[in-house]
Each structure stands twice: as C-alpha cells, then as structure tokens.
Amino acid sequence: MPITPEQCRAGRALAKIDREELAAEIGVYVDVIEAYETGLASDGEVAKMVQRSLESLGVQFLPEEDGIGVGVRLKVDRAGTRQIGCWEAEGGRVAEDDVS
C-alpha cells in the first residue's frame, strides 16, 4: 500500500528530515516532494521511494485496520537507526548477546 501525503509529512517530522534532505536522499527535486505532500501529484513511484527512505530512518507506516485509519510511528530515534545501520554493516556472524 502506498503511503499517503499525510503519512509522508508525519514521517518526515518523526525522522526530523526536511523536504530538501528527503529530495536529495531519493534523487528528486524538492518540488516533487512538495507536490506529493500537498496532494497535487500522486506519483506511486515517488511514494515508494519516500517510504523506503523514511523507513531506513526508523519510520514505520501502519496500514488501515479494522476501521482504524492509517498511522505512522517511530521504531527508534534517528541516531539509533543510523547506529544500527553501522553495526549491521560491520559483518560477522549474528549471535545472542551475553550481557547480564
């Protein structure tokens, strides 16, 4: 399901990223993001790129279920998401933590 313009704006707010940063991240002009968020354009490909980018920053988009509208939430904060990305890039075997 493509995200709505409202989810895009809310997701950007949660991720603390402005239109300029998001546009640069996905390789489009700022006008494209603005048109999508204001409902002037409904490009499904832009919606997918925006969604992937925001999800990489820890934003989680919630589908409509049981008559409850769509939603947006933050899995972890932006710094935490980037740190997890660094850890995942380190490689090696995944194992249980031995921390008490």
Side-chain angles (χ1 to χ4, degrees):
M1 135 189 134
I3 63 171
T4 66
E6 294 80 12
Q7 284 179 300
C8 179
R9 290 192 307 270
R12 272 194 320 99
L14 288 172
K16 298 179 182 169
I17 185 172
D18 61 23
R19 285 180 179 159
E20 289 79 12
E21 290 175 290
L22 181 59
E25 178 83 21
I26 65 173
V28 298
Y29 292 109
V30 175
D31 296 350
V32 172
I33 302 295
E34 184 176 358
Y36 176 69
E37 287 186 344
T38 58
L40 296 176
S42 59
D43 186 332
E45 193 57 37
V46 169
K48 289 176 189 175
M49 291 187 305
V50 165
Q51 183 171 351
R52 282 192 300 267
S53 180
L54 292 174
E55 286 174 343
S56 76
L57 294 172
V59 175
Q60 186 174 31
F61 296 98
L62 309 172
E64 184 170 350
E65 292 181 354
D66 301 324
I68 299 172
V70 296
V72 181
R73 69 176 169 205
L74 195 58
K75 292 190 287 189
V76 294
D77 65 17
R78 188 175 183 182
T81 300
R82 289 184 190 228
Q83 186 61 46
I84 290 169
C86 289
W87 293 333
E88 289 175 344
E90 287 180 0
R93 189 172 66 84
V94 176
E96 290 293 317
D97 291 336
D98 188 24
V99 178
S100 7

